[in-house]
Amino acid sequence: MDAIEVIVTKRDGGELTTAQIEWVIDAYTRGVVADEQMSALAMAILLNGMDRREIAAWTRAMIRSGERMDWSALDRPTADKHSTGGVGDKITLPLAPLVAACGAYVPQLSGRGLGHTGGTLDKLESIPGWRASLSNEEMLSVLRTAGAVVCAAGSGLAPADKKLYALRDVTGTVESIPLIASSIMSKKIAEGTGSLVLDVKVGSGAFMKTAERARELAETMVALGTDAGVRTVALLTAMDQPLGVAVGNALEVAESVEVLAGGGPSDVVELTVRLAREMLEAAGVAGKDPADALGDGSAMDAWRRMITAQGGDPDAALPVAAETMTVDAPSSGVLARLDAYGVGLAAWRLGAGRARKEDPVSFGAGITLHAKPGDPVRAGQPLMTLHTDEPARFGRALAALEGGYEVGGSASQELLPLVIDRVTA
Ligand code: URA
């Protein structure tokens, strides 16, 4: 086979055969197809799309480029959740131990943040001693001890996707639904979970800005999971305003612990419980109700076991940023608008996120919100507190927030419902 023939087929709007797809993914992983050839093919796919058969073949080929994990040695079903990412989206932290406390195992491979959305591993790494890199044997051991494990994907899992995702990142080819869906699902299917709930975010702080694009992505991923024998369901959820009141690594861990203690912001609690119920249903586990497990301490017990089993100290003080500054209400009224993207960008500029994969993050940096859209506020009242280790960052963070919030006589932001839609096979 020949890379140019594959590129030209897709460039001219044709369908790739399954054999062409299997060959090109394997040859690219082995370095036989060059980066510039794969870039051209990725751009042709972005412009001309792929049909369901092509996407399924592409996903299977990426799975086959590496190992496929297997949890059949466990005595209960497995369930996982994947979020397409958003501002203040710390849901995995309370969710994984909550679902474990209700009777399913949660083997979750997670990522780090890039750009204005945070990454689950960065958040958990703010807990002193906690380790993201585990061998497969360690993963199994943490699962047996705690019922849930959240860790980094090893280099053996879907290596074709690792290489291709890095290439898409620098060639303007990330925003293709077939490529996004196959990238996410190849990793989730290779991870070996028996069931999967997808949280596809919609709004200014999300990858997908409109419900239409989010629904298309959700339907594509649900079809891929279902075809691969993984019981898969997706929720489209709101990301027009930040989730909860904490944005930033250690700040989000603290908020998650509040939820596990039976408190926390109502939107975080509601989404955590809803996703937990979906995961348990998909896994076929009729155990304890998640709302009860948050109230009776059993989810908190699972969290403590999970953190401890990965070297962390659940009782240790979390990192705190060196400097804070408040942003105050310019007048009395209601917080009429609070844009998720502006808050995410500001938290990133305060040091909570990274610009390049190899950059460090500041664990204490971020934003605490004191009001959410629709809340009454008085002139001079703090609307949010900015946290950073480097005060020189405040100026650029304030610039990111400019136009991103508004105090007025009445709420002007038309808010999305927390759960917009549910997509099944
Ligand atoms: N996340 C992934 O893992 N892959 C994509 O293509 C986009 C987001």
Side-chain angles (χ1 to χ4, degrees):
M1 261 201 230
D2 167 15
I4 299 173
E5 180 196 306
V6 178
I7 297 165
V8 166
T9 302
K10 190 44 78 181
R11 182 199 67 189
D12 294 344
E15 268 181 43
L16 301 177
T17 65
T18 299
Q20 280 178 315
I21 290 171
E22 285 171 356
W23 177 81
V24 82
I25 296 280
D26 177 57
Y28 177 59
T29 312
R30 289 186 292 113
V32 171
V33 165
D35 274 351
E36 53 271 28
Q37 294 177 310
M38 199 52 157
S39 315
L41 181 57
M43 186 58 82
I45 291 171
L46 181 133
L47 296 173
N48 291 325
M50 287 200 285
D51 68 16
R52 182 167 173 168
R53 178 199 54 79
E54 290 175 289
I55 303 172
W58 189 275
T59 307
R60 270 198 312 275
M62 294 217 291
I63 295 168
R64 248 186 253 138
S65 71
E67 65 172 321
R68 189 159 176 179
M69 302 177 89
D70 176 12
W71 306 112
S72 56
L74 294 170
D75 57 355
R76 282 182 266 137
T78 50
D80 192 11
K81 180 226 44 160
H82 175 83
S83 161
T84 56
V87 178
D89 184 2
K90 71 280 294 173
I91 300 292
T92 286
L93 276 59
L95 180 65
L98 174 60
V99 171
C102 294
Y105 282 113
V106 184
Q108 180 167 134
L109 298 175
S110 269
R112 291 175 201 286
L114 193 62
H116 73 279
T117 62
T120 298
L121 300 181
D122 295 324
K123 296 173 210 228
L124 286 165
E125 276 177 343
S126 66
I127 300 172
W130 188 86
R131 242 173 357 108
S133 294
L134 302 182
S135 66
N136 292 359
E137 293 68 39
E138 285 176 312
M139 267 187 90
L140 189 59
S141 158
V142 178
L143 271 176
R144 286 203 163 114
T145 307
V149 61
V150 180
C151 63
S155 56
L157 198 102
D161 176 65
K162 273 201 184 69
K163 213 174 156 190
L164 180 57
Y165 191 40
L167 187 72
R168 287 166 55 215
D169 207 22
V170 293
T171 56
T173 51
V174 169
E175 291 85 357
S176 148
I177 286 181
L179 292 178
I180 297 171
S182 55
S183 167
I184 293 172
M185 293 305 290
S186 64
K187 287 172 285 198
K188 286 288 148 186
I189 296 166
E191 171 198 90
T193 185
S195 54
L196 178 66
V197 176
L198 298 160
D199 181 3
V200 181
K201 300 274 179 218
V202 182
S204 76
F207 216 26
M208 297 288 142
K209 307 294 179 201
T210 66
E212 289 64 39
R213 290 268 299 164
R215 187 169 293 108
E216 191 185 338
L217 177 63
E219 283 169 357
T220 309
M221 292 196 292
V222 167
L224 283 173
T226 306
D227 288 353
V230 178
R231 286 178 302 282
T232 308
V233 35
L235 297 184
L236 305 192
T237 72
M239 189 32 69
D240 49 348
Q241 57 168 320
L243 254 178
V245 297
V247 180
N249 301 300
L251 297 168
E252 293 189 41
V253 171
E255 186 169 277
S256 303
V257 171
E258 277 176 38
V259 171
L260 288 159
S266 58
D267 56 346
V268 179
V269 175
E270 191 186 326
L271 189 55
T272 303
V273 169
R274 174 67 194 266
L275 287 165
R277 287 184 181 139
E278 292 284 356
M279 286 168 74
L280 292 163
E281 187 185 326
V285 172
K288 185 185 274 188
D289 185 68
D292 296 338
L294 285 179
D296 68 11
S298 54
M300 178 69 96
D301 291 343
W303 160 262
R304 294 177 63 82
R305 282 197 301 273
M306 179 178 95
I307 297 302
T308 307
Q310 289 181 237
D313 177 357
D315 297 315
L318 292 166
V320 175
E323 306 282 339
T324 59
M325 171 191 274
T326 62
V327 174
D328 301 333
S331 57
S332 295
V334 295
L335 182 59
R337 213 164 56 77
L338 180 66
D339 176 51
Y341 179 69
V343 174
L345 188 59
W348 180 56
R349 289 182 176 176
L350 289 166
R354 52 169 70 78
R356 290 167 309 153
K357 278 200 282 298
E358 48 289 350
D359 291 345
V361 296
S362 160
F363 291 128
I367 298 181
T368 314
L369 304 172
H370 304 300
K372 298 276 293 227
D375 286 352
V377 297
R378 279 174 291 98
Q381 170 193 328
L383 294 177
M384 53 190 111
T385 301
L386 315 186
H387 308 251
T388 187
D389 291 326
E390 299 167 56
R393 291 177 175 266
F394 281 132
R396 299 236 311 131
L398 289 172
L401 287 167
E402 223 160 87
Y405 68 95
E406 191 184 314
V407 173
S410 61
S412 66
Q413 186 175 6
E414 183 101 18
L415 292 171
L416 292 168
L418 186 60
V419 177
I420 301 159
D421 206 353
R422 182 172 187 270
V423 175
T424 55

